Every structure is written in structure tokens, then in C-alpha cells.
């Protein structure tokens, strides 16, 4: 069964908006996108290639107008920018040519560039978990529960209710993202094999103290949060409906615009899964505590490695740093000596072994550029074994086989030329023609090549044409449709009758044009010697 595509054409087209960030000219593309996304004033503005070129020059990036135009067109093709529909007034032809194409930012381009900037600003440093969000989330959910149970939702201000819901979800998103980043950093540190004793001591204290406090915060608030979410679950549709009772934004396609997180009932599934769980799935908060236990085990594995004896694997991190410092502080000659002492790699030398030709040995002073390739024994080449089990076998001589194949090809070419000469004796319309088996085969080859090259059914007014080289001339076959004609080709193998087609043979005049074939429906198929 064929593999199913992972993503469809629409998704591929959407992901193409990321290509500008990994191009060789990524620096220019990033500078252009920053001009379109810098500040709020840039979002609704459109700019021409000349204006972008001037702004880039002011930033110290000298790009000519044509290069900037090409970069902007590339961003338009991949959905990052769009051509502005705004018409501009020009007082001269020069001003019209410089302002005729203006560009503005697309929604996809803004989203992609924001993610690119976040990735460029990202560092591998640790980030604290926003556990202080837990009390705020609990208080916000309790407030929403009291609002849903105590009073009539019709009397609640929709804007105030929407603000309270989005505040809860903003706190929840910050908690989830910081937790995810913290555990990602934690896994990178715990899997390092180069942790020294001092680094381990520092990291151990931080991990045991900080991680335990975070797990305690989750354990203390999780039962209360789960209880409130269970009671609030039946009230969620009513709360979101009332929060959306205000005027909604409708896009140009007549669809309601996407709302903030938490203002749709589907958004509440994520917070439910995190604190309460789902069918057949434990809460993500429980997984947070399980990951903390796994981190402690990984810490113990690292501790066992550090305290292991000399027969265990040891980190060479400090040794490599010391070696790098020696290289940095050494002179040119000292660096070469240090390299040879540390890695045992010396300058190139010729190798001698018994596979050399005893009668004509290659001297050690000969350059590798001009000497023949050495016949290295298989045992030395693959296994590194220098002991020779015997002389290397002689190279196989294929010259006789090559001459036989060339002679066979020459005979086949001569036979084909003889067959084509025989066909060339029957110029004009072919009606009743007697040919040898070889000539009949070549005629049918030329016939099939003509029709296959024509590429479509032969109509009444169309002509199919093919030519092939014969000595210093060209033999031409013209095929036309003629329902009243039959062509019979007889050979020792039998008779072949072709009904409804007219075959015409002629020798082509390469110095003149055949006026009878000037129709645009013909197709030439030229077959050279095989």
C-alpha cells in the first residue's frame, strides 16, 4: 500500500512562508520583514521597493532597487507579503515606475515572522516555572463558578465576564508554557555526560529545592482546581454564550472572527485535561509530578557516574577544555607539536607493502599526483592487516570483450544501413512493395516512430513526418490519412496490409524546405544511427 502523505498541498503552501528564514539571503529577508512588522504603524501601511531600499540603506544594508524588488516578489509568492490594492498618484513617469508596485504585510507573514524573532531571541538558559499562577487560576475559576450559580447570567456584563475568562486562560497558558520549557531544559542538563563535580553539586541543590517546591504547589492546588472545574463544566456553555453576547467581528467571508482563548466551549477541554484528566488519560498535573520523580532518578544516575571508579566511563569535558586552552595559547609550531602529541596524527607518508611490483618499485620520493594507483590488498584496506596472504591478483583484461562488442555494433549498423538503402529504392507512394525481413523491420520501426512522435490521432488534413540518416542523405517517411488506400508490404515472413493510410517515401533535400509539409499540424521525428 502506498504511503499516505503527511500533509496536503494546502499545508505545504502554508509552510512555505517559513522558507525566507533559511535562505542564503536570510539576512536581507529578515531586514525587510522587520521593516513591515516594526511598531504598530507598519501593519496598515504599504511600501514600495524604492522605499524599502532607502530604509535598508539607512540601516547600513546596501541593496539595489532590482534586488529589493526580487526579494519582495519572493515574499509575495510565499504568502508573507501581498501586493497593495491602493492606487497611487504619480506626477511623472519616473515616480510612476518607482511606486507602481506597493506591498503590505499579510496575517500569515506577521505570525511567521513573530515566531522567527522569538526563535532567534531564544536561549538555552533555564526559565522558572510560573507556579504563582496557580492561586490566581483557582481564584478566577471560583469567581466564575459563583457567577454561574448565584445569579442570572443575563444580568452579568458580557465584557466583564469575557475579561475574567480570558484572564484565567492567560494565566493557565503562562503556567503550561513555562512548565514545558522548564522540563525541556531539565532533560537537556540531566542527559549531559560532561557534568563535573562542581556543576553537579550546584545543579543538585537547585533541582532538589526548586523542583520540590514546584511539585508541592501543584499538589496543594490540584484537588481544589479539579473540584471547581468539575462543578463548572456544565456551566461553561452558558458562560461562553454570555461572554460572547456583545458585538462580534465578522470577516469579509461572513464568518465570525476567532475569539480569545476561553471564550469558546472547546477551549475549556485543555484546562480540564490538565487538572482533571479525560477518559483513559490521567491529568497532566499528575504527569508533572511523575516527571519530577524521573528527574530525581536521572540525577542519581549522573551521581553514580561521577563517583564511579576508574574502570567506568568518565567525562572528558574538563580535559578537552584544557586542551583547547593550550591550543589557543600556543604558537604555530607548538600547535603542530601539540596536535601530533595529543592525537598521534602526523604528516602524510608513503606506505610500502609486498603488493608493490618488485621489478619496478615506486620510490618513496615519487609524488602521488603522477604515480599509478597502488594495488592495496583487501586485508589491509578493510581489516588493517599488513600481513600479505599472497600477491595481489592481476587486473582482468576486458579488451577482447570490448572489441567483440564494438564489432557486433558495427555489423548491426551496417545491416541497418543496408536495409534503409533497400527501402530508399522504393521512393514515392507505397502500394505493393517487396522487402527483405530486415528492410521490413526498419520500415515498421520508422512507421511506429513517426506515429508515436506525432502524439495524437492522425486526422484527415494532418501529416506525420519522420526522417532518418542514411549515409550522407536523409530518408523521409510521410504518413497521411486516406480511407480509400491500402498499402501491402510483403517479405519472407509474410504480407502486412495497412488500410486507411498513405505512406510516401522520399529523399529529403536538406537545402530546401518541403512546402507540402508547411502545415502547423506536422511533427518531425529524426532518428540517427543506432
Amino acid at each position: 500500500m502506498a504511503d499516505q502523505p503527511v500533509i496536503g498541498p494546502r499545508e505545504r503552501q502554508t509552510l512555505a512562508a517559513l522558507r525566507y528564514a533559511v535562505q542564503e539571503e536570510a539576512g536581507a529577508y529578515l531586514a525587510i520583514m522587520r521593516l513591515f512588522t516594526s511598531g504598530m504603524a507598519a501593519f496598515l501601511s504599504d511600501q514600495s521597493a524604492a522605499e524599502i531600499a532607502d530604509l535598508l540603506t539607512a540601516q547600513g544594508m546596501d541593496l539595489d532597487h532590482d534586488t529589493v524588488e526580487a526579494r519582495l516578489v519572493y515574499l509575495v509568492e510565499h504568502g508573507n507579503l501581498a501586493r497593495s490594492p491602493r492606487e497611487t498618484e504619480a506626477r511623472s513617469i519616473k515616480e510612476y515606475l518607482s511606486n507602481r508596485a506597493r506591498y503590505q504585510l499579510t496575517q500569515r507573514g506577521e505570525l511567521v515572522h513573530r515566531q522567527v524573532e522569538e526563535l532567534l531571541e531564544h536561549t538555552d538558559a533555564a526559565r522558572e516555572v510560573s507556579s504563582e499562577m496557580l492561586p490566581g487560576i483557582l481564584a478566577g475559576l471560583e469567581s466564575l463558578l459563583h457567577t454561574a450559580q448565584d445569579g442570572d447570567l443575563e444580568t452579568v456584563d458580557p465584557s466583564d465576564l469575557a475579561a475574567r475568562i480570558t484572564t484565567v486562560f492567560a494565566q493557565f497558558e503562562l503556567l503550561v508554557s513555562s512548565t514545558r520549557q522548564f522540563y525541556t531544559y531539565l532533560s537537556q542538563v540531566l542527559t549531559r555526560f560532561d557534568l563535573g563535580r562542581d556543576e553537579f553539586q550546584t545543579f543538585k541543590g537547585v533541582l532538589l529545592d526548586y523542583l520540590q517546591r514546584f511539585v508541592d504547589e501543584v499538589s496543594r492546588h490540584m484537588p481544589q482546581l479539579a473540584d471547581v472545574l468539575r462543578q463548572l463544566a456544565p456551566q461553561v456553555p452558558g458562560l461562553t454564550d454570555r461572554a460572547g453576547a456583545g458585538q462580534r467581528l465578522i470577516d469579509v467571508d461572513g464568518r465570525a472572527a476567532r475569539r480569545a482563548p476561553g471564550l469558546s466551549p472547546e477551549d475549556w477541554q485543555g484546562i480540564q485535561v490538565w487538572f482533571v484528566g479525560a477518559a483513559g488519560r490521567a491529568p497532566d498535573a499528575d504527569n508533572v509530578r511523575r516527571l519530577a520523580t524521573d528527574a530525581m532518578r536521572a540525577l542519581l544516575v549522573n551521581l553514580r557516574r561521577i563517583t564511579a571508579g576508574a574502570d567506568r566511563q568518565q567525562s572528558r569535558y574538563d580535559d578537552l577544555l584544557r586542551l583547547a586552552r593550550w591550543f589557543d595559547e600556543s604558537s604555530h609550531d607548538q600547535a603542530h607539536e601539540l596536535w601530533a602529541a595529543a592525537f598521534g596524527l602526523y604528516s602524510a607518508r608513503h606506505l610500502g607493502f609486498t603488493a608493490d611490483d618488485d621489478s619496478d618499485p615506486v620510490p618513496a620520493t615519487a609524488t602521488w599526483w603522477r604515480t599509478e594507483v597502488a594495488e592495496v590488498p583487501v586485508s589491509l584496506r578493510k581489516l588493517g592487516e599488513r600481513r600479505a596472504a599472497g600477491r595481489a591478483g592481476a587486473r582482468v583484461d576486458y579488451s577482447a570483450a570490448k572489441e567483440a562488442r564494438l564489432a557486433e555494433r558495427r555489423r548491426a549498423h551496417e545491416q541497418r544501413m543496408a536495409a534503409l538503402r533497400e527501402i530508399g529504392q522504393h521512393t514515392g507512394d507505397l502500394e505493393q512493395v517487396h522487402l527483405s525481413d530486415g528492410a521490413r523491420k526498419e520500415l515498421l520501426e520508422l512507421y511506429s516512430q513517426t506515429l508515436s512522435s506525432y502524439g495524437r490521432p492522425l486526422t484527415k488534413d494532418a501529416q506525420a513526418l519522420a526522417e532518418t540518416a542514411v549515409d550522407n542523405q536523409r530518408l523521409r517517411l510521410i504518413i497521411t490519412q486516406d480511407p480509400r488506400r491500402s498499402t501491402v508490404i510483403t517479405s519472407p515472413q509474410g504480407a502486412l496490409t495497412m488500410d486507411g493510410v498513405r505512406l510516401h517515401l522520399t529523399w529529403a533535400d536538406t537545402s530546401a524546405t518541403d512546402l507540402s509539409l508547411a502545415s502547423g499540424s506536422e511533427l518531425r521525428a529524426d532518428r540517427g544511427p543506432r
Side-chain angles (χ1 to χ4, degrees):
M1 184 176 65
D3 295 336
Q4 297 295 328
V6 179
I7 57 176
R10 183 181 180 86
E11 288 78 8
R12 291 183 183 276
Q13 183 180 6
T14 302
L15 292 176
L18 293 165
R19 291 182 177 175
Y20 76 93
V22 294
Q23 294 285 342
E24 292 183 0
E25 303 85 4
Y29 286 117
L30 288 173
I32 292 174
M33 290 300 297
R34 282 166 181 163
L35 293 177
F36 281 96
T37 57
S38 58
M40 294 300 297
F43 286 111
L44 293 179
S45 64
D46 52 7
Q47 304 181 65
S48 65
E51 295 171 348
I52 293 294
D54 293 340
L55 293 174
L56 292 176
T57 302
Q59 296 179 2
M61 183 176 294
D62 189 12
L63 294 178
D64 59 83
H65 179 274
D66 294 337
T67 302
V68 174
E69 184 74 33
R71 301 290 184 268
L72 292 171
V73 170
Y74 179 87
L75 293 171
V76 170
E77 292 174 351
H78 291 81
N80 304 95
L81 299 179
R83 296 188 183 274
S84 174
R86 181 170 68 89
E87 297 181 356
T88 58
E89 296 182 359
R91 291 170 292 183
S92 65
I93 295 178
K94 180 179 180 181
E95 185 178 352
Y96 169 75
L97 292 175
S98 62
N99 295 330
R100 69 184 186 274
R102 303 185 67 85
Y103 303 88
Q104 62 185 17
L105 187 67
T106 63
Q107 184 183 24
R108 184 191 308 172
E110 189 276 331
L111 174 62
V112 167
H113 190 71
R114 176 161 48 85
Q115 299 294 334
V116 169
E117 293 288 1
E118 290 182 3
L119 181 61
L120 292 176
E121 296 174 0
H122 175 74
T123 61
D124 292 334
R127 174 179 175 177
E128 290 188 352
V129 180
S130 301
S131 57
E132 65 275 3
M133 296 291 107
L134 288 168
I137 297 173
L138 178 59
L141 292 175
E142 289 177 342
S143 174
L144 293 175
L145 180 61
H146 293 325
T147 301
Q149 291 179 343
D150 297 344
D152 188 2
L153 285 178
E154 298 298 329
T155 61
V156 179
D157 182 15
S159 298
D160 176 69
L161 183 59
R164 290 155 57 189
I165 294 176
T166 54
T167 299
V168 170
F169 273 81
Q171 294 170 333
F172 172 69
E173 179 63 27
L174 182 58
L175 171 69
V176 172
S177 62
S178 62
T179 302
R180 187 184 301 115
Q181 294 182 25
F182 170 75
Y183 274 105
T184 302
Y185 167 76
L186 192 63
S187 65
Q188 291 177 347
V189 176
L190 289 175
T191 55
R192 280 178 53 185
F193 188 72
D194 54 2
L195 280 179
R197 290 181 180 272
D198 295 338
E199 292 177 313
F200 178 81
Q201 291 288 347
T202 303
F203 184 68
K204 179 194 66 174
V206 173
L207 178 62
L208 293 179
D209 180 38
Y210 184 80
L211 186 58
Q212 187 58 45
R213 284 192 289 109
F214 170 58
V215 172
D216 290 343
E217 285 284 337
V218 174
S219 301
R220 182 165 59 253
H221 290 89
M222 181 180 169
Q224 304 174 61
L225 285 165
D227 184 59
V228 173
L229 285 171
R230 290 190 187 96
Q231 299 180 51
L232 193 59
Q235 311 294 336
V236 167
L239 288 171
T240 55
D241 289 343
R242 183 56 186 170
Q247 186 175 2
R248 295 291 304 279
L249 175 64
I250 305 299
D251 62 13
V252 294
D253 296 328
R255 298 172 300 185
R258 186 176 57 185
R259 307 204 67 190
L263 299 183
S264 298
E266 296 80 10
D267 298 338
W268 287 77
Q269 296 178 1
I271 194 171
Q272 286 278 348
V273 170
W274 218 87
F275 291 107
V276 181
R281 175 177 174 180
D284 289 341
D286 283 346
N287 291 330
V288 167
R289 293 186 288 185
R290 179 185 57 80
L291 288 174
T293 303
D294 294 343
M296 298 299 178
R297 292 173 180 170
L299 189 67
L300 293 176
V301 172
N302 234 323
L303 176 62
R304 185 165 56 249
R305 178 189 58 79
I306 293 176
T307 58
D311 56 333
R312 299 292 184 89
Q313 286 183 320
Q314 298 293 327
S315 171
R316 304 302 301 273
Y317 182 76
D318 293 335
D319 297 337
L320 293 175
L321 282 180
R322 188 180 302 108
L323 180 61
R325 190 180 305 110
W326 289 347
F327 273 112
D328 184 59
E329 297 173 353
S330 62
S331 63
H332 181 77
D333 294 335
Q334 291 174 344
H336 282 284
E337 296 176 1
L338 182 60
W339 174 268
F343 301 104
L345 298 178
Y346 301 87
S347 57
R349 295 289 186 271
H350 283 275
L351 297 178
F353 42 86
T354 55
D356 287 337
D357 189 354
D358 296 334
S359 61
D360 186 18
V362 178
T365 57
T367 174
W368 287 2
W369 292 105
R370 299 176 182 176
T371 54
E372 296 293 333
V373 177
E375 295 289 346
V376 183
V378 176
S379 59
L380 176 60
R381 185 172 66 248
K382 293 187 175 181
L383 305 177
E385 177 62 51
R386 296 181 59 85
R387 183 182 58 188
R391 292 184 58 85
R395 293 183 178 180
V396 180
D397 187 5
Y398 293 102
S399 57
K402 291 180 181 179
E403 288 297 332
R405 300 289 83 77
L406 290 174
E408 181 180 346
R409 184 171 181 178
R410 284 194 295 269
R411 288 194 299 271
H413 177 65
E414 292 172 358
Q415 292 174 2
R416 180 173 181 270
M417 289 296 103
L420 290 174
R421 294 190 198 98
E422 180 183 351
I423 297 174
Q425 297 174 2
H426 301 277
T427 55
D429 292 342
L430 300 183
E431 295 182 358
Q432 298 283 341
V433 58
H434 294 271
L435 300 173
S436 63
D437 288 337
R440 175 178 178 271
K441 176 183 177 183
E442 291 299 328
L443 179 61
L444 293 180
E445 284 283 345
L446 188 59
Y447 176 83
S448 63
Q449 182 69 25
T450 304
L451 292 183
S452 62
S453 300
Y454 189 71
R456 54 188 182 277
L458 195 64
T459 58
K460 180 179 179 182
D461 299 328
Q463 293 177 331
L465 164 68
E467 291 182 0
T468 185
V470 182
D471 298 329
N472 295 326
Q473 296 179 299
R474 301 190 69 82
L475 182 62
R476 175 182 293 175
L477 174 64
I478 303 172
I479 303 176
T480 56
Q481 184 183 20
D482 190 348
R484 297 171 299 177
R485 182 178 293 273
S486 294
T487 301
V488 180
I489 302 173
T490 306
S491 71
Q493 291 185 350
L496 173 64
T497 303
M498 299 180 181
D499 294 327
V501 292
R502 172 174 172 263
L503 275 66
H504 183 80
L505 278 173
T506 182
W507 290 100
D509 185 2
T510 57
S511 62
T513 303
D514 191 347
L515 298 178
S516 66
L517 299 177
S519 171
S521 61
E522 67 177 345
L523 179 65
R524 184 183 302 273
D526 187 6
R527 296 175 64 239
R530 291 181 298 178

